[in-house]
Amino acid sequence: MSILKLKLDQEQLVEDFFENTHLIGIASTARDYQLCWQINRQLYTNFRVNNLLEITLSKKNRSFHFTVMEFHEPTNSVSHYFYNNHCQAEFLLPELKNIHFLWMIKGDYYQADDVKKLLEQLRVVPLVQLVSLLDTREIKNKMNLIF
């Protein structure tokens, strides 16, 4: 009897996950819940912690848990995810050590102008120090963002 092995095509998985997404990097020394509270108030979002989406990475016999918050826009099919990029001394995306948080927009409703407007709105949030649009093609560890 032969054993059938299935192999996950990680490249296709990454491509499918990041299709129709925009990724924003945010630098802030605030805690994730403080920053999300400010963003919720100023941008009329509704980010909430989703423990089912929490990302766990294991390194050096230790586990690191990265919080993911989410909200879904009620008027269109867009989902927003807010990742904490650091936990203790480890990073979800080690190549982006100066970025504390990541905001991913999933859905085809947002165009480049909409994202640019969102970046401008984020820049005036009091706890935000830096905001930049990230190119997912240049991120080496983007597999860590997949939940």
Side-chain angles (χ1 to χ4, degrees), residues 24-135:
I24 299 169
I26 302 170
S28 174
T29 56
R31 296 201 178 263
D32 53 3
Y33 62 88
Q34 293 171 320
L35 182 56
C36 278
W37 184 80
Q38 284 284 332
I39 290 172
N40 285 344
R41 285 188 60 221
Q42 290 207 235
L43 303 182
Y44 306 105
T45 57
N46 191 24
F47 279 110
R48 298 284 181 241
V49 173
N50 185 339
N51 291 326
L52 298 175
L53 298 180
E54 181 179 82
I55 297 171
T56 302
L57 295 181
S58 296
K59 292 183 181 180
K60 304 171 191 166
N61 295 327
R62 291 183 58 198
S63 292
F64 299 94
H65 305 279
F66 298 89
T67 306
V68 179
M69 299 185 190
E70 73 174 332
F71 96 92
H72 304 281
E73 291 188 25
T75 57
N76 53 47
S77 59
V78 175
S79 298
H80 298 261
Y81 301 97
F82 192 85
Y83 296 81
N84 197 336
N85 190 38
H86 59 88
C87 175
Q88 297 166 3
E90 291 297 326
F91 294 89
L92 188 60
L93 299 178
E95 63 270 26
L96 297 174
K97 290 183 179 180
N98 295 328
I99 299 295
H100 302 105
F101 303 100
L102 302 156
W103 181 337
M104 181 187 298
I105 304 166
K106 286 184 69 76
D108 57 1
Y109 181 79
Y110 277 70
Q111 302 302 316
D113 289 340
D114 300 319
V115 175
K116 194 173 184 180
K117 183 179 175 185
L118 180 60
L119 289 172
E120 293 302 319
Q121 292 173 330
L122 269 171
R123 286 187 175 107
V124 299
V125 174
L127 297 175
V128 171
Q129 297 169 337
L130 175 79
V131 177
S132 64
L133 187 60
L134 304 173
D135 187 351

Side-chain angles (χ1 to χ4, degrees), residues 8-21 104-107 136 142-143 146:
L8 182 64
D9 185 354
Q10 288 188 349
E11 288 180 23
Q12 186 64 45
L13 175 69
V14 168
E15 185 179 316
D16 290 346
F17 185 83
F18 288 100
E19 184 178 10
N20 295 322
T21 63
M104 181 187 298
I105 304 166
K106 286 184 69 76
T136 56
K142 60 185 159 208
M143 188 72 178
I146 298 176

